[in-house]
Amino acid sequence: MNIVKSEEGFQIKYNGIDIINHSKDKPFFYVGRGTAKYDMYRGNFQIEDDVFEKIPLRNFKVEECESSSSITLMNGDTPIVGVELFDDGGEYLKLSFSYYDDEINRVWIRVAAQESEKIFGCGEQFTHFNLRGKKFPLWTSEPGVGRNKKTYTTFLADVHDRAGGDYYNTNYPQPTFVSSEKYFCHLDCTAYMDFNFKNESYHELQAWDTPAGLTIGTAQTFVGLAKSISEYFGHQPALPAWTHEGVVLGIQGGTEVVQSLLDKALDRNISVAGLWCQDWEGINNTSFGQRLYWNWKWDKERYPGLDKKIWELKKEGIRFLGYITPFVLENESIFNVAKAEGYLVKDFAGQDYLVDFGEFNCGIIDLTSEEAVAWYKKDVITKNLIDFGLDGWMADFGEYLPTDCILSNGKTGEIMHNMWPALWAKTNYEAVSEAGKLGEIVYFMRAGFTGTQRYCPLLWAGDQCVEWCIDDGIASVVVAALSSGILGNCYHHSDIGGYTTLHGMKRSKELMMRWLDMNTFTSFLRGHEGNRPKDNHQFDSDEDTLKHFARMTNIFKRLKEYRTYCINEAVEEGLPIQRPLFMHYEGDSKAYDIRYEYLFGRDILVAPVLEKEVTDWEVYLPEDNWIHLFSGERYTGGDHTVRANIGEPPVFYRDSSKFIALFEDLKTNN
């Protein structure tokens, strides 16, 4: 760390990188006061802020000593904010903030920027990978249907359900960005935030609370930076070995229906690792489509004999996965226990808070209460899921905490809303860990925040439209994997074919097959029937699709050795399975603008087909010697047009890979 002082200001540099540029004319820290208004409707938010004042802290006093330094920021002669700076052995620079005015509840911090700099991260973004030139509100919510105010789909979703969303809406925001200058910047805050990357000379980080501090980490390479990020936020455990054995079929309908679909898949030589039956606890029929019965225990009528069937399937190498949320259905058994014991989140009047999930109401388990969490882990997750035999589940709906509630830790929902997904991940993690099942059970989440990396073993991209649309279709999950992966979420996947079927959308055969082509080259392979299964093409809709699933799931299974190697890199070094091209090709300026291709580990490049009715695809390859996995044709760096039939996606491997024998075998025997 180096502080360069002058009469008019100061600069803070860290490992040669400009972090803070402060002058009386252009201060780096502003404080103020404001009042926010939140309107939540089924996980979608309309948010407004009334800012009473914004005060630049122009005056300053710098004190330096050997182990740390401090800066006092003043409004005139009045101290407002104290900044303590700690250099953590050249790995992280930490700025810790203290506030001398209790009425401050708005903060703006300006971090130095370069005009040519590119910015990535801010959680899981779906539209933009390079965030430069735009601002990004950071608030966990439903991401919206369509996510583009210029499209008709988004318009219809807004009109009918207030659910259209925009380019920045995401289940998983995080106040952390990564710079092309090879540093990451993290703001320690849980309230609503807005990161603005529009200015050429600074990035403005706004928080609707008083952040505890700012952390900067640097590295010489992007691989080193990925390791630094994972060490800071926490490493993920390895995925269970059984996940390599094929697809986890997303099917439902009861014991007999599920068994018949499994038999059909196995008869067609589809490699099946597991069955994900989200309706294992029953269903609710609503106008949106089939919803689940949120009382987290086995529905004996819908799934007769499941208590024995699970263990029979396990012996055959087929795992069974379910579904759970931190919300419990009003007036059902789990809700009634939680209510009686005082384990539910309260409203400001002290009554149990009920959330409308679309034609049914639920209470919220208070994840800040040690007693409530201990009960939910033991009597619900462990007893009803783990001991029952589930080998995984979707841990859903972490983003629905309302703002106008009070928690057992004394904080409001407004302050804890963003943190809720991380607390939900931690609850699941501890339940699995305490059962001695880490590395055997996998749960996957769409919602996240700071700390999700340590506690969530697998991200899923949420509810994409069953469409080709850029902002909310197949293309969006590539951006989602890259943006979340660069922040230490090493494992990412999406529903094969998408999920949301509304406003005339129906999943086509082509879309499902192209999505499977892409997901074969990710860390986890799982399907979903969608919210309206009868409107969607399914894996068993025709013999051609069954044959395609057999082909691609076999490829996925045969990549086990390579994928295991990549997972070991994730565990040991924090490297994501799906990586941006620039992570290994730093000198390639074009690689920083590629958002719809990715490296699958170090040695495979995937350029998925993201448009319908095409047989050729434009591909950019960084400078290296590449071999097309399916044709065997050789390529060097640059732009290329390649043949891209269904079942033969544009996938390339490096001819210097130590897995060359595996790739050659895939090429000749697929």
Side-chain angles (χ1 to χ4, degrees), residues 240 311 314 386-387 390-391 431-442:
W311 302 99
K314 209 184 296 269
I386 298 174
D387 291 349
L390 269 62
D391 281 294
V432 173
S433 178
E434 290 163 11
K437 296 290 187 177
L438 284 180
E440 298 178 36
I441 285 175
V442 62

Side-chain angles (χ1 to χ4, degrees), residues 99-133:
Y99 301 86
Y100 305 125
D101 185 345
D102 292 338
E103 293 187 359
I104 294 170
N105 66 359
R106 297 291 183 272
V107 166
W108 296 261
I109 300 169
R110 293 180 175 179
V111 177
Q114 305 299 318
E115 185 176 350
S116 60
E117 187 178 13
K118 299 183 188 297
I119 297 295
F120 313 96
C122 282
E124 183 184 36
Q125 298 295 329
F126 293 90
T127 298
H128 299 284
F129 182 42
N130 176 14
L131 311 182
R132 201 71 163 102

